[in-house]
Amino acid sequence: MQGKILEQLYENYAKELTIYAYSLTKQMSEAESLVSDAFFQLSCQENPPPAIKFWLFRVVKNHFIDQQRKKRRWRWVPFSSQQSDEKPNPSEQLLQKESQQQLHQAIAQLKAPYQEVLILFYFIDWPVQVIAEYLNYSNGQVRTILYRGRKKLKEVLSDEK
């Protein structure tokens, strides 16, 4: 794939992909690594995939799933929780606000389909049709998952108070 096209695609989709990857990994360095891997894999393609945006999101998700499987397979001695020496970047500073942290923690308590659809809809601003196309669901299924996810999120947030 040509460098200019790849650069334009990176400018268009990197921010959304990073937000999505961060929602999966909860660590900015891992999220950036997933996004980098996705664009590297795109650069290795001779013919660009038909829906590049969805393809990139699918690659990020699949790489994350692969990493989780490897972590489950290879359990090492657990490390004590250590603070990272990395300087907080703007997205981490944004998440440090108390209300947003509470919201992210509540979303993390939900089951996978609710988490993913809520994040894609509210944080990445995808319309229902795009989410349905990406997840291979009907529009009605996505709306139902959104409704139920909001309902469960409301329950989680009211339980915390």
Side-chain angles (χ1 to χ4, degrees), residues 10-129:
Y10 184 83
E11 289 175 11
N12 291 341
Y13 303 131
K15 185 176 180 180
E16 287 181 52
L17 282 168
T18 304
I19 292 169
Y20 180 65
Y22 184 79
S23 73
L24 296 171
T25 62
K26 311 292 187 272
Q27 293 182 349
M28 189 52 72
S29 59
E30 286 184 30
E32 290 170 347
S33 176
L34 287 173
V35 172
S36 176
D37 289 345
F39 278 101
F40 175 74
Q41 196 167 350
L42 179 63
S43 71
C44 294
Q45 300 291 318
E46 291 181 19
N47 297 322
I52 292 177
K53 182 177 184 177
F54 297 142
W55 185 86
L56 286 167
F57 274 85
R58 181 81 56 200
V59 168
V60 166
K61 182 178 178 180
N62 290 342
H63 279 246
F64 171 72
I65 291 170
D66 289 344
Q67 286 178 352
Q68 295 306 305
R69 286 181 185 151
K70 286 178 185 175
K71 286 180 183 177
R72 271 187 260 146
R73 239 181 275 155
W74 299 99
R75 296 271 180 185
W76 299 104
V77 176
F79 293 105
S80 61
S81 60
Q82 298 176 354
Q83 295 294 328
S84 174
D85 290 339
E86 297 178 18
K87 294 180 182 177
N89 60 31
S91 64
E92 288 177 346
Q93 290 173 349
L94 182 67
L95 291 175
Q96 289 175 355
K97 293 181 182 176
E98 186 176 325
S99 62
Q100 289 181 345
Q101 280 184 339
Q102 190 176 29
L103 179 61
H104 281 275
Q105 290 171 354
I107 289 174
Q109 293 176 17
L110 299 177
K111 292 186 179 178
Y114 301 118
Q115 273 186 6
E116 188 167 26
V117 170
L118 287 171
I119 288 168
L120 291 173
F121 187 78
Y122 288 108
F123 294 100
I124 301 181
D125 294 326
W126 281 10
V128 170
Q129 292 174 329

